[in-house]
Structures are given as structure tokens and as C-alpha cells.
Amino acid sequence: MLSQRDDPIIALATPPGRGAVGVVRLSGKHLLNFAQELTNRQLTPRVAQLVTIKDQHGDNIDQVLAIFFPAPHSYTGEDVLELQGHGGPVVLQMLLQNCLQLGLQKNPNDLALLPHLRLAHPGEFTARAYLNHKLDLAQAEAVADLIDANTEAAVRSAGRSLEGVFSKQVNELKDLLVLLRMQIEACLDFPEEDIDFIKQMQVEQQLLALEQKTRELLAQAQHGRLLRDGLKLVIAGQPNAGKSSLLNALSGADVAIVTAIAGTTRDVLTQSIQIQGVPVHVLDTAGLRESALADEVEQIGMDRAWDQIGHADIVLLLNDLSRETQSDYASAQTSLMQDIQQALAPHTKLLIVNNKMDATAPHQTLNTQALNISAKTGDGLDKLKARILDMAGWQAGLNEGVFTARTRHLDALQAVLSHLLQATQFMQFTAVPLDLMAEECRLAQTHLSLLTGNYSADDLLGEIFSRFCIGK
């Protein structure tokens, strides 16, 4: 994608299917002559003009609103032409093909009107906006996040990132780090005075302040990732523990079949809900028991349940209070808990919940720290939702002003923090290794630069923008 960045590009900028309006978008250098040949009109910059687009035979294709945005005052930083026509899939394809054909049409000097015009790759318009310094990388990613957002909180957080809230904090942190690097590297030029110089410049205090700011930014980014990606919550347990009933209770709808027959749920059922604006993807799985007791289909369901457990953010192990006094059930529950703990990924947390508190008298449970709920009556569900968010690291106080973030952002900030901690440890040495401290600070700055794209490899950019929709 990046090797063809000088080619003019074209794409449909509206979703497939029928609609009232459809948009064809072009971007490239020196589009004005092409735009005026296409529309047979002198186009006024940034003014919508009603024109009729004709094909190569002079037949009308569609009446459209044509808007020309000359560089650099456009979304991509290049010349941009938008054609807003009727939203039928056939007429839009005809407009697009007509533009491609017109680009190859030669003038009296035997030169193509717009050579190398081609269909855009996914995300290529936004990639050009980034490459032409209209957006930094974090803002460019926020464009896709805004489009994909499925909660109001996620929309607001993506909007803040697009406005540059995240980038501003990253740049402020980077400026402080650059200043510190200058001071440390200045010490390298005067080794006989390095200790006094370090104390005078309060290098250790600056490092500690940078650590604190990085932790605060990381906490906000973790909230942003939750709003963007959501939380994967897998409900696991023995047959008839009430897993499907809990899924229905959390979603507020009868999305799963509930019966007293063991093994009713044979496959993984997924329902997305919101808890305080955070998307939570709840997965109801087949009941887990000894393979010898299951038929072939149920065994497939259990295998899929174990696979989901291995990829969850939180595994909710449900315990049936009404059967807890039964020795065979209690023994199987203890064994299941041990098996799940061994199957958990390093980042996955285990939440134990006692269900059916409405159907049993109070008694000493196997898990005294577990939450008691009733999926049937709804008792305890509010506490359960609060516990889920707490285990995910969600803090209500950080909700305001949060921006969208991705896993790569968290990884970069974790790396920044790690290098700063290492640099701080060097301060404890009798002879402070300034060269090593300077290198740790340099590495921290490199990871910060990756966030906004001041330093990014082409393969990273290709991976990011390939996940965009075509017209963006």
C-alpha cells in the first residue's frame, strides 16, 4: 500500500447496499483538470455543485453533488473530489467505473487524463491523511474506532482520541522525557561532575514523576481499550448450574433455552451487553462434566467451552447452591475449579459466583468469598456487574475524559514504564551508569513515538490501516 502512495485513488465511501445517498471519493495530486472534465464544470473549491455525470458515450449516469477540496485543505492533504449521488449499488458502480475509464482517456498530447488511477486499499484515505500530517497515528486509528464503536461511551472516547486528547498527553510525556535525556547526556560530557550534576538537575525526581505520569496514562488507556474492545466473559459450570438463566438475566432477554435437562446447551451462545457503557461479550457454554457421561455432541460442546475459557478475560464459574450439600456435586465442583485454574491464560481472571440463592436455605458454602445471586429473581445481579467491572480494572472516576486505546498502545506504555523503572534503578548504584540510563530513556522515547507514529515501520502501518473500511 505504502509503495503506491503517489497513485490517485478512488473508492465508494458509503456502505454496500441501497440508500438515499451514495458517495464516490477520489484523492490524489492535480485532480482539478480531471474533476472539471468529469463534471464539465468549473468547480469552486469546497462548494457543492449539482452536475450531471455522463458516460463515455454521452449518456447520463446520474445527477450528483460534486465537491472539490484542493490540497492541502482536505481530509487526505491531497486534492479530493467527492461525488454524492443516488445510493443504488448499480449506479454507484457505474460512476466509479466511469471515473476509472476517464482517467485512462488521453488528451490531444496523447497523455492520460489521470494515469495510474486505481481502487483504494482498505484505510488508504486515512493512511494518506497520516502520511501527509493531517492526523497522527493515534488519531488515524481513532477514525476506525469511531466507526466501529458500539456504545455511546465508546463513541465519546473515540471522539476524544480523534480530537487529539491521547496524542497531547503522549507528546507532553515525550517532551519531558526529551528534556531529561538532554540533561543525562550532558552529564556524559562532564564525567567528573556527574554526581553533583545529577543531584542538581533532580534527575531521580524527574524519573519518578515520569513514572507516575506514565502509570496514569496507562490506566486511562486501559479504560479506553475496554471501551473499544469490550470484555470477554465466559460463563462456565456443571450442567444445570443456571448458566443459560444467567445469560438471559444479564441480557434482559430469553436468548438461551433453559430446561431442567442436563446438556441442553450444546454450543457456545454469545450475547453482547453494556455495563456502565462498557461492552461485555457474555458467552454461555455447555455444562462441564466427565466425558464418560456425555454423548458425542455434548462432548464437542464441552471442547468448545474449554477453548473459550482459554481465551477469556474473565471466567465466571457458576456454583449451584441447591446442590452444594450433595457430595458428588461438591467433589465435581472442586475438581472443575482446579481444572479451570490450570486452563486460564495469564491475563484471565476467575470469578466464582453462587447461583440459586432463592432455592436454598442459608448455609455454609464451599466458597465463602463468592457472590451469591439468583439468576431467576435477579437478586445480586447489580453486585455481580460491579464485580465484573472491578475485576476488569474499570474505575468510575477515570470515565470522564477517557480516550480510546488499543492493545498496542497498552504494550507500548508498559514498555515505556519498564524502561523508566530500569533507569530509576540505576540511580541506586554507587557509580551511576549514565550511558545505560541514557539508553533506557532513549528506548522509552522510541516506544512513546510508536504511539503517535513519529517513528513507525511500514509493516506496522500496513497492519493498522488494512483493518479500515475501503472508503476510509
Side-chain angles (χ1 to χ4, degrees), residues 240-242 245-246 318-324 329 352-363 365 367 370-384:
N240 285 350
S245 296
L246 179 56
L318 208 57
N319 178 45
D320 185 351
L321 286 174
S322 67
R323 290 186 287 165
E324 198 174 41
Y329 173 85
I352 300 175
V353 176
N354 296 324
N355 188 30
K356 302 184 183 180
M357 59 183 291
D358 60 295
T360 182
H363 64 278
T365 70
N367 303 290
L371 283 176
N372 292 330
I373 69 165
S374 170
K376 181 178 180 180
T377 66
D379 288 345
L381 287 186
D382 288 341
K383 291 183 179 179
L384 173 59

Side-chain angles (χ1 to χ4, degrees), residues 1-5 130-131 450 455-466:
M1 178 178 72
L2 298 177
S3 61
Q4 299 175 309
R5 58 178 295 187
Y130 161 71
L131 293 169
L450 287 172
Y455 170 77
S456 292
D458 282 358
D459 56 353
L460 172 63
L461 300 182
E463 170 66 19
I464 289 172
F465 290 111
S466 67

Side-chain angles (χ1 to χ4, degrees), residues 117-138:
L117 177 63
R118 60 172 174 82
L119 295 174
H121 299 295
E124 192 166 4
F125 287 93
T126 303
R128 293 190 177 199
Y130 161 71
L131 293 169
N132 291 321
H133 309 293
K134 306 295 290 186
L135 303 168
D136 65 31
L137 193 55

Side-chain angles (χ1 to χ4, degrees), residues 41-110:
R41 182 77 62 86
Q42 295 290 325
L43 295 178
T44 303
R46 292 176 296 280
V47 174
Q49 296 174 249
L50 182 64
V51 300
T52 299
I53 304 297
K54 299 178 180 292
D55 63 17
Q56 304 301 306
H57 305 291
D59 296 327
N60 292 350
I61 297 178
D62 193 15
Q63 275 194 328
V64 305
L65 287 176
I67 311 175
F68 179 69
F69 302 89
H73 307 295
S74 69
Y75 178 71
T76 64
E78 304 173 331
D79 287 347
V80 170
L81 175 66
E82 285 197 357
L83 305 174
Q84 302 179 7
H86 295 90
V90 175
V91 68
L92 289 172
Q93 283 295 328
M94 290 176 67
L95 283 173
L96 188 147
Q97 292 300 324
N98 185 66
C99 290
L100 290 170
Q101 293 172 9
L102 183 62
L104 297 176
Q105 183 175 304
K106 296 184 178 180
N107 60 20
N109 296 324
D110 201 35

